[in-house]
Amino acid sequence: MFNYIIARTPCKALIDGISSADDGKPDYDLAMKQHLAYLDALRKCGVEILLLPPLEDYPDSVFVEDPALCTKHCGIVTRPGADTRRGEIDSIEPALRRFYGDKIEHIKAPGTLDAGDVMMVGDCFYIGKSARTNEEGASQLITILEKYGMSGHVVPLEEVLHLKTGLAYLENGNLLAAGEFINKPEFAHLNIIEIPESESYAANCIWVNGTVIMPSGYPATESRIRELGYRVETVDTSEYRKVDGGVSCMSLRF
């Protein structure tokens, strides 16, 4: 169960966020409406939300998942792989301390780690080695996790930006997977629910207290999730997709 959510209001600079997409710049007013709807979907799951103010100097700061990782035992301040996002950690740490007190850990140079590359399955954390998360960052994270009785395993990425671009753990042994993750041996022990390639964006969704929050417009994926017995909430994230963002990116859940 999750009790708390940390999210951040999108800044107006969002329109200049990092993007590999070719869909144009986000519409800021629409992005704000979508963010409010996203928060409403989270509230329906019975969580308390700490909403942080916008950071105008950091266009991608709405994606709070990357600069921090929340576990049962500690909060971890990461070191994002994109230089333009490093400053976000200074404002996320005080938020973590409200919940974790002194149990705050840090990823340090030369390690880099985006927590969008980290997927929690119970007390085991899968860490994507990617363009944003390097070997040193992953190694530091594993050391931190083991300090608190948890474990970590590195998963090399070949095609996607972040591990959770193509994966979502829905609890109860169910793993939503797309593309390169469908046949990865690291996940063979889980019940893999394959996402059609045409709906691969929907692989980025979140389980929150029995409900799966997913992007709208992906009927095959939605049907497969409902067949597993989950309640589903759909949210429009079209403006965030334009800056390489998805459902999981906009919240810390713990």
Side-chain angles (χ1 to χ4, degrees):
M1 292 285 290
F2 295 131
N3 296 310
Y4 303 108
I5 299 288
I6 298 175
R8 185 181 294 283
T9 300
C11 64
K12 292 180 180 178
L14 173 71
I15 61 172
D16 296 317
I18 301 169
S19 179
S20 61
D22 191 22
D23 297 327
K25 290 181 178 290
D27 178 311
Y28 177 72
D29 291 336
L30 181 54
M32 281 294 294
K33 291 177 182 177
Q34 290 178 354
H35 196 258
L36 290 172
Y38 175 76
L39 296 177
D40 284 343
L42 285 165
R43 288 189 184 97
K44 291 179 183 178
C45 301
V47 293
E48 180 182 325
I49 299 175
L50 172 60
L51 183 61
L52 304 176
L55 291 177
E56 288 300 338
D57 290 337
Y58 299 98
D60 299 284
S61 55
V62 67
F63 302 131
V64 290
E65 183 176 59
D66 291 321
L69 179 65
C70 294
T71 79
K72 296 176 187 176
H73 307 292
C74 67
I76 301 166
V77 179
T78 72
R79 186 170 180 267
D83 292 345
T84 55
R85 301 199 62 187
R86 300 264 166 85
E88 294 176 33
I89 63 176
D90 295 332
S91 62
I92 203 72
E93 183 166 348
L96 294 180
R97 289 194 179 278
R98 291 177 61 170
F99 299 96
Y100 292 102
D102 292 332
K103 291 184 178 179
I104 302 292
E105 305 286 346
H106 298 82
I107 302 298
K108 300 174 182 177
T112 62
L113 181 84
D114 277 14
D117 275 321
V118 184
M119 182 179 71
M120 179 179 70
V121 179
D123 286 331
C124 176
F125 291 74
Y126 292 92
I127 308 157
K129 183 182 175 185
S130 70
R132 301 283 180 85
T133 296
N134 64 18
E135 190 77 41
E136 173 63 21
S139 178
Q140 287 184 33
L141 177 57
I142 290 170
T143 299
I144 292 168
L145 293 170
E146 290 177 347
K147 174 181 173 182
Y148 291 90
M150 299 176 284
S151 64
H153 301 277
V154 176
V155 181
L157 306 190
E158 300 162 14
E159 300 170 9
V160 296
L161 175 65
H162 284 138
L163 183 78
K164 283 188 284 195
T165 301
L167 285 176
Y169 184 60
L170 306 182
E171 303 296 322
N172 306 314
N174 294 317
L175 182 70
L176 210 61
E180 66 179 284
F181 299 107
I182 293 169
N183 296 309
K184 277 199 181 289
E186 292 91 342
F187 306 119
H189 63 293
L190 298 171
N191 177 36
I192 294 178
I193 300 95
E194 185 174 339
I195 299 277
E197 186 60 34
S198 61
E199 295 196 5
S200 60
Y201 180 72
N204 182 268
C205 59
I206 53 176
W207 176 95
V208 184
N209 301 341
T211 294
V212 175
I213 301 176
M214 65 170 289
S216 57
Y218 301 93
T221 302
E222 181 178 349
S223 176
R224 291 177 190 182
I225 294 171
R226 289 187 184 277
E227 287 171 1
L228 293 167
Y230 299 102
R231 193 169 78 89
V232 175
E233 287 281 341
T234 62
V235 291
D236 187 355
T237 54
S238 64
E239 302 314 291
Y240 298 95
R241 186 175 187 177
K242 294 175 182 178
V243 281
D244 297 343
V247 171
S248 78
C249 309
M250 294 186 286
S251 61
L252 292 166
R253 304 161 295 279
F254 56 105

